[in-house]
Amino acid sequence: MTDGVAERSRPRDRILETAQDMFHKHGIKGVGVDAITEAAGTNKMTLYRHFESKDELIVECLRATAAKGAAVWDEFEAQHPGDKLAQLHAWVRKVADMLVSDSRGCDMANAAVELTETDHPARRVIKELKQAQRDRLVALCRDAGIGQAELLADTLSLLFEGARVSVQTVGSEGPSAQFVRMAESLIASFRAR
């Protein structure tokens, strides 16, 4: 974020954008509110005026990340109106791009790993958001004419999550480099049933 952008955006937005970026790069536990407010060009009083706690800020960051993800689904529809199979293939290509461009992985999964307390408010949000992603992928598979839509969606989801971990551990030239080939083979196999 440039200083000009930071100065023009609202404090709440600056805090949220800064926290998202810092949580993604350094982890939730690795970033304190002092670092967030300093990087956002604000102070703790302003942060706590907009967010009751760091936990609430975490929840809002996860919701904002999910909203960005939801917008991608709209892009698939706009690029391939009414062609659900083409949208499914677009999902595969988008996932492959994400694997190459971002070695930090899924913000939701990373948060779930860091926030081990079962009653942490973000845990419920993570579960809801991950379920919504699954439901959307199941619906897309079903609408694309896949007979075992839930099984394919779950298989693709697990392949994607595993590929993200592979990128983090061995880099993008490891097994994750085969993601498109594996995912397209799965889709073809399910379509043939």
Side-chain angles (χ1 to χ4, degrees):
M1 178 180 321
T2 65
D3 289 334
V5 173
E7 290 172 11
R8 287 191 304 267
S9 62
R10 295 178 17 217
R12 183 184 193 285
D13 296 337
R14 278 197 326 266
I15 292 166
L16 190 59
E17 290 169 14
T18 301
Q20 278 183 273
D21 182 58
M22 293 180 81
F23 290 158
H24 183 75
K25 288 178 181 172
H26 307 291
I28 290 170
K29 301 270 184 171
V31 177
V33 294
D34 289 327
I36 293 167
T37 56
E38 182 179 334
T42 188
N43 57 50
K44 284 170 51 170
M45 185 165 54
T46 302
L47 184 144
Y48 288 121
R49 187 178 315 125
H50 294 285
F51 306 96
E52 289 183 18
S53 64
K54 182 180 177 186
D55 289 347
E56 183 181 329
L57 177 59
I58 293 165
V59 166
E60 289 304 312
C61 285
L62 293 173
R63 289 187 195 284
T65 298
K68 289 177 189 173
V72 171
W73 292 92
D74 297 336
E75 289 175 24
F76 299 154
E77 177 64 38
Q79 293 167 354
H80 308 283
D83 188 345
K84 299 301 183 180
L85 187 58
Q87 291 174 34
L88 183 58
H89 292 295
W91 178 87
V92 169
R93 288 188 304 279
K94 181 66 172 181
V95 164
D97 290 345
M98 290 169 55
L99 291 170
V100 172
S101 67
D102 184 4
S103 64
R104 284 291 297 145
C106 175
D107 290 339
M108 305 288 169
N110 292 344
V113 169
E114 283 193 70
L115 304 172
T116 58
E117 307 87 1
T118 57
D119 61 341
H120 192 286
R123 303 273 315 170
R124 181 182 48 81
V125 172
I126 293 165
K127 183 176 180 179
E128 289 170 5
L129 296 172
K130 281 292 195 179
Q131 184 62 48
Q133 289 175 349
R134 178 192 182 268
D135 293 346
R136 194 127 190 209
L137 187 55
V138 168
L140 182 57
C141 290
R142 185 175 297 117
D143 293 345
I146 307 294
Q148 293 181 302
E150 286 190 32
L151 182 58
L152 176 58
D154 288 344
T155 304
L156 289 171
S157 292
L158 289 174
L159 179 63
F160 180 29
E161 295 292 340
R164 282 181 151 167
V165 171
S166 177
V167 168
Q168 288 183 356
T169 57
V170 297
S172 60
E173 277 74 46
S176 66
Q178 302 297 319
F179 177 81
V180 171
R181 197 166 114 207
M182 288 184 241
E184 294 293 352
S185 293
L186 283 167
I187 293 168
S189 172
F190 274 80
R191 288 190 69 215
R193 292 179 184 185

